[in-house]
Amino acid sequence: MSSRLWAKKGKREHSLWGASHSGDLVAVRAALASGQSVNSKRGGDGNTCLIVAVMGGHKKVVTKLLKQEDCDLSLGNRSKRTALHVACSYGRVGMV
């Protein structure tokens, strides 16, 4: 599935989220340049772009997202887990 457009249960997902999920740094850069929000969340679980990049171990994408001035590190998913919580639970020591 293309990282530019994700679908889940018939809903279109934010392309920045899809690029973050797949670790596609080129698509992440393009999405950010087009004005897409670094803080966007995905439907059901409410994971942010940063959270899914951390989950996937996409360090370059995580770094790019963290460099965005408006990146909100306090945002959590539906389980109230932030990117820091996820990094710790996934053993992503290099991302903490």
Side-chain angles (χ1 to χ4, degrees), residues 15-38:
S15 63
L16 178 56
W17 190 95
S20 299
H21 182 272
S22 66
D24 186 342
L25 185 58
V26 172
V28 166
R29 286 182 179 139
L32 290 169
S34 75
Q36 295 182 36
S37 173
V38 67

Side-chain angles (χ1 to χ4, degrees), residues 1-21:
M1 181 180 288
S2 168
S3 64
R4 293 175 192 247
L5 181 63
W6 284 68
K8 182 176 181 179
K9 297 181 183 175
K11 295 181 182 177
R12 293 180 140 193
E13 299 295 343
H14 205 278
S15 63
L16 178 56
W17 190 95
S20 299
H21 182 272

Side-chain angles (χ1 to χ4, degrees), residues 5 8-9 12 17 21 23 28 31 36 43 46 48 52-53 56-58 60 63 65 73 75 78 90 93 95:
L5 181 63
K8 182 176 181 179
K9 297 181 183 175
R12 293 180 140 193
W17 190 95
H21 182 272
V28 166
Q36 295 182 36
T48 64
V52 295
H58 307 303
K60 290 181 181 179
T63 300
L65 295 173
L73 299 176
L75 289 178
R78 291 187 86 145
Y90 275 65
V93 179
M95 294 185 189

Side-chain angles (χ1 to χ4, degrees), residues 5 13 22 35 42 44 56 59 66-68 79 84 89-90 94:
L5 181 63
E13 299 295 343
S22 66
R42 182 177 151 219
K59 191 171 183 176
L66 287 172
K67 287 182 178 181
Q68 303 309 299
S79 300
L84 179 59
S89 67
Y90 275 65

